[in-house]
Amino acid sequence: DVKVTQSSRYLVKRTGEKVFLECVQDMDHENMFWYRQDPGLGLRLIYFSYDVKMKEKGDIPEGYSVSREKKERFSLILESASTNQTSMYLCASRTGGDHTEAFFGQGTRLTVV
Amino acid sequence: DQQVKQNSPSLSVQEGRISILNCDYTNSMFDYFLWYKKYPAEGPTFLISISSIKDKNEDGRFTVFLNKSAKHLSLHIVPSQPGDSAVYFCAAQNTGTASKLTFGTGTRLQVTL
């Protein structure tokens, strides 16, 4: 079974803090993604990576950065957390071939106060 | 610009009846479509997919229909069960570009007894 593991289920951080969300996958997938889920807005892509040290902006990258130093690990960084970044964050991984599904982690509910 | 739209935020169906969830897309370059199911506080799980070369794909109680000319797909669940109560997301991919998935806003399905 593919496993995508996010380091925290719940996080509470203060405005202005630097926040790290970690994601690890165990299936040697080339592609990894960070989404956020908000009511009425669905899943929106923040950043994705198609290889080690490679990254591309998604639809809403502002206020975020990412790091992929190893194939199995993809980190999302909130440079200076703000209250509008309170959300459910979802990491996913996917093999490099066409027509395959993405596998998601369990999600991190981040609250910025 | 929402390229994948789920216009019904919620749907209520009686147990044993058919559930029909709809999804529309605007990008004619999308050629692979997926449905995911999401329970609260969990990551989305893959349900079923369809390639644009097909118009129907079936897996047990779940069938996805694709109408390319209308840029519309639907997920049929027959018979609906209480455990199907969840949020359903459709997603689409353009395999000519990066392998990211674009998600809709989701439909909350409630199956009542």
Side-chain angles (χ1 to χ4, degrees):
Chain A
D1 269 359
V2 174
K3 193 146 188 188
V4 179
T5 303
Q6 294 181 228
S7 53
S8 305
R9 291 295 299 267
Y10 300 94
L11 273 180
V12 180
K13 296 292 181 181
R14 294 193 182 277
T15 302
E17 274 192 79
K18 191 168 187 175
V19 181
F20 293 85
L21 302 183
E22 308 285 345
C23 176
V24 176
Q25 51 98 359
D26 65 359
M27 280 302 290
D28 203 37
H29 284 168
E30 292 82 357
N31 299 296
M32 295 188 75
F33 309 84
W34 277 104
Y35 289 87
R36 62 179 279 180
Q37 182 197 0
D38 300 289
L41 298 176
L43 274 65
R44 294 181 293 166
L45 181 64
I46 304 170
Y47 265 98
F48 66 102
S49 168
Y50 51 89
D51 202 349
V52 175
K53 298 191 186 294
M54 307 303 290
K55 61 186 179 186
E56 284 205 24
K57 292 180 180 179
D59 301 316
I60 51 164
E62 297 78 20
Y64 303 94
S65 62
V66 289
S67 172
R68 191 156 181 214
E69 296 296 318
K70 292 185 178 181
K71 193 174 186 180
E72 67 270 18
R73 187 179 297 271
F74 191 37
S75 302
L76 179 70
I77 303 152
L78 285 66
E79 298 292 343
S80 176
S82 64
T83 54
N84 63 12
Q85 293 179 308
T86 291
S87 186
M88 168 69 89
Y89 288 87
L90 294 159
C91 173
S93 74
R94 191 178 187 200
T95 189
D98 291 337
H99 295 192
T100 59
E101 71 264 34
F103 296 86
F104 281 85
Q106 77 276 28
T108 296
R109 169 69 65 185
L110 172 68
T111 303
V112 182
V113 298
Chain B
D1 177 30
Q2 192 76 31
Q3 295 187 68
V4 180
K5 300 176 186 177
Q6 294 176 256
N7 291 318
S8 297
S10 64
L11 175 68
S12 183
V13 172
Q14 265 190 324
E15 182 181 10
R17 299 284 188 113
I18 183 170
S19 295
I20 300 176
L21 295 93
N22 294 304
C23 180
D24 297 293
Y25 61 96
T26 57
N27 187 342
S28 58
M29 299 301 293
F30 286 146
D31 57 3
Y32 183 59
F33 304 89
L34 308 89
W35 283 94
Y36 280 82
K37 174 179 178 179
K38 186 180 184 299
Y39 293 118
E42 292 184 14
T45 54
F46 170 73
L47 265 180
I48 192 169
S49 63
I50 188 165
S51 163
S52 60
I53 62 172
K54 295 185 175 181
D55 54 18
K56 178 183 173 180
N57 189 25
E58 196 170 350
D59 184 2
R61 296 186 298 115
F62 302 93
T63 303
V64 56
F65 295 92
L66 176 63
N67 182 335
K68 279 190 298 183
S69 60
K71 295 191 181 70
H72 176 84
L73 63 154
S74 60
L75 174 69
H76 292 211
I77 307 173
V78 182
S80 301
Q81 299 173 353
D84 296 329
S85 297
V87 178
Y88 290 78
F89 293 98
C90 67
Q93 181 196 357
N94 170 8
T95 53
T97 61
S99 60
K100 62 179 184 175
L101 295 176
T102 300
F103 283 82
T105 50
T107 297
R108 181 178 302 278
L109 173 66
Q110 178 150 13
V111 180
T112 58
L113 298 173

